[in-house]
Amino acid sequence: MAEFTMELNDEQKEVRDWLHGFAADVIRPAAAEWDEREETPWPVIQEAAKVGIYSLDFYAQQYFDPTGLGIPMAMEELFWGDAGIALSIVGTGLAAVGVLANGTEEQIGTWVPQMYGDAGDVKLAAFCSSEPDAGSDVASMRTRAVYDEAKDEWVINGTKTWATNGGIANVHVVVAVVDPELGSKGHASFIVPPNTPGLSQGQKFKKHGIRASHTAEVILDNVRVPGSCLLGGKEKLDERLARARERAKAGGERVKNAAMATFEASRPAVGAMAVGTARAAYEVALDYATTREQFGRPIIDNQGVAFQLADMRTQIDAARLLVWRASWMAISGKPFTAAEGSMSKLFASETAKKVTAQAIQILGGNGYTREYPVERMHRDSAIYTIFEGTSEIQRLVIARTLSGMPIR
């Protein structure tokens, strides 16, 4: 187990600088265009694949970094470039984490490579959990998966929403109810292979921010997948459901469901995304404040501006500390006894919203126009307090963990 440190090693610094260069030279120049177009930035994703950023190898190297800092460092740099384009590049990773968290070695080896493809044939993946009537309330999920024992197939029916890459992905990972009586404990995750009949894209959403990232509904109409597409396998599922039934009868401890396992693993990474966006806005505001003159002097000479920038930088650094701590704890196998993963996501998300708003204020009228990027950064930052668990849900998770009480 690596000791916790805030100092990147030489290899990590080299990767960080490489990612920063890609974000500065490739992502940022394209950001405004793809935000306006509200389309998946395929040319940028393909360029990321060519240089090795959009690849299973790169993702695995960062995911299994023994310090735990590989993923948050990578996310911060890419999202410093632009949140919408970066999410298009890393969105496949959430589905990959779903397989890594719940799948067998054979399933991981079979499906994760197909989520990325290669530089000559780029693929995408989508993680499908939220539903029109079940976002934070995972117990209300209605998508059903029924086992057809005669054919060793699972039949899936339902509608998913807010799916990044939904409908355009090569591989979909779908969370569905297999035992309605168990509520959220009766869920399982399934791989839906490419070109499976019955899966289609529903509504594509026109969003306030992260417009370059494709977000859509996914319709599942009698989708049949082989038994081997149940993540973890049926034997493991049957054992888990049996334990859940026994504990339900005894009123015992809670059992984590498949979607929650994925979100717990990814929350610090979302915090790192927020840190990247906040840092980008802060840097624009700092540069503007040192060069913009009013009344014959730079506006940073005014305490009202200077103190805002001091607070912005302090909050960004504090957010990064929480994210790195949670990431190190996760890779080290240390339990989140105080919901440290949720803490990192909560604080970093709220920081991004606050810092980007302050950046607009410092730039004044210029900050409110699309000629400067802080307007887009502020719109993008709103998503961090919403997806993969709203700030209110993070507070609920933290409060329940600290108190042990079923707070509602």
Side-chain angles (χ1 to χ4, degrees), residues 170-186:
N170 189 56
V171 178
H172 290 75
V173 177
V174 176
V175 182
V177 178
V178 294
D179 189 332
E181 295 182 0
L182 293 176
S184 62
K185 303 176 186 67

Side-chain angles (χ1 to χ4, degrees), residues 129-178:
S129 176
S130 295
E131 298 184 1
D133 296 319
S136 300
D137 183 11
V138 294
S140 297
M141 190 176 293
R142 296 181 180 178
T143 297
R144 294 286 303 275
V146 178
Y147 185 56
D148 183 342
E149 189 171 0
K151 295 184 178 180
D152 185 27
E153 292 180 339
W154 288 89
V155 185
I156 309 174
N157 283 281
T159 299
K160 295 295 181 179
T161 193
W162 312 123
T164 299
N165 298 333
I168 65 172
N170 189 56
V171 178
H172 290 75
V173 177
V174 176
V175 182
V177 178
V178 294

Side-chain angles (χ1 to χ4, degrees), residues 42 63 70 78 106 112 230 234 266 295 325 328 371 408:
W42 285 106
Y63 186 83
L78 292 173
E106 182 179 357
V112 177
L230 166 64
K234 193 167 189 307
S266 63
F295 306 106
R325 179 186 68 167
W328 172 77
E371 292 182 21
R408 296 185 179 277

Side-chain angles (χ1 to χ4, degrees), residues 31-266:
E33 175 188 351
W34 292 99
D35 178 71
E36 290 288 343
R37 292 176 63 166
E38 297 191 53
E39 297 175 0
T40 300
W42 285 106
V44 183
I45 298 174
Q46 289 165 348
E47 189 63 28
K50 287 179 184 177
V51 300
I53 293 174
Y54 186 81
S55 71
L56 173 58
D57 287 344
F58 175 75
Y59 190 82
Q61 287 173 10
Q62 305 315 311
Y63 186 83
F64 292 110
D65 181 331
T67 70
L69 302 184
I71 288 293
M73 176 268 295
M75 295 298 163
E76 179 177 337
E77 293 305 327
L78 292 173
F79 280 74
W80 172 89
D82 176 69
I85 291 178
L87 190 57
S88 291
I89 293 173
V90 307
T92 290
L94 183 58
V97 168
V99 178
L100 291 168
N102 301 297
T104 64
E105 288 187 9
E106 182 179 357
Q107 288 170 330
I108 292 170
T110 298
W111 294 109
V112 177
Q114 293 188 48
M115 294 179 172
Y116 289 91
D118 55 47
D121 186 19
V122 172
K123 305 294 185 184
L124 300 176
F127 183 75
C128 307
S129 176
S130 295
E131 298 184 1
D133 296 319
S136 300
D137 183 11
V138 294
S140 297
M141 190 176 293
R142 296 181 180 178
T143 297
R144 294 286 303 275
V146 178
Y147 185 56
D148 183 342
E149 189 171 0
K151 295 184 178 180
D152 185 27
E153 292 180 339
W154 288 89
V155 185
I156 309 174
N157 283 281
T159 299
K160 295 295 181 179
T161 193
W162 312 123
T164 299
N165 298 333
I168 65 172
N170 189 56
V171 178
H172 290 75
V173 177
V174 176
V175 182
V177 178
V178 294
D179 189 332
E181 295 182 0
L182 293 176
S184 62
K185 303 176 186 67
H187 296 175
S189 291
F190 299 85
I191 291 284
V192 180
N195 304 314
T196 298
L199 185 146
S200 61
Q201 179 184 310
Q203 176 187 5
K204 178 185 174 181
F205 297 104
K206 296 179 72 66
K207 304 186 299 294
H208 175 65
I210 56 167
R211 294 177 178 177
S213 174
H214 176 96
T215 310
E217 290 181 330
V218 174
I219 312 298
L220 301 121
D221 183 12
N222 286 321
V223 170
R224 285 183 169 268
V225 299
S228 60
C229 287
L230 166 64
L231 289 180
K234 193 167 189 307
E235 182 178 347
K236 183 178 178 181
L237 172 66
D238 290 341
E239 291 174 357
R240 178 168 62 81
L241 294 178
R243 290 196 303 271
R245 294 186 191 103
E246 291 175 4
R247 285 166 177 155
K249 290 179 182 178
E253 61 185 279
R254 294 157 49 202
V255 179
K256 294 176 183 176
N257 64 63
M260 289 302 102
T262 300
F263 289 141
E264 284 186 4
S266 63

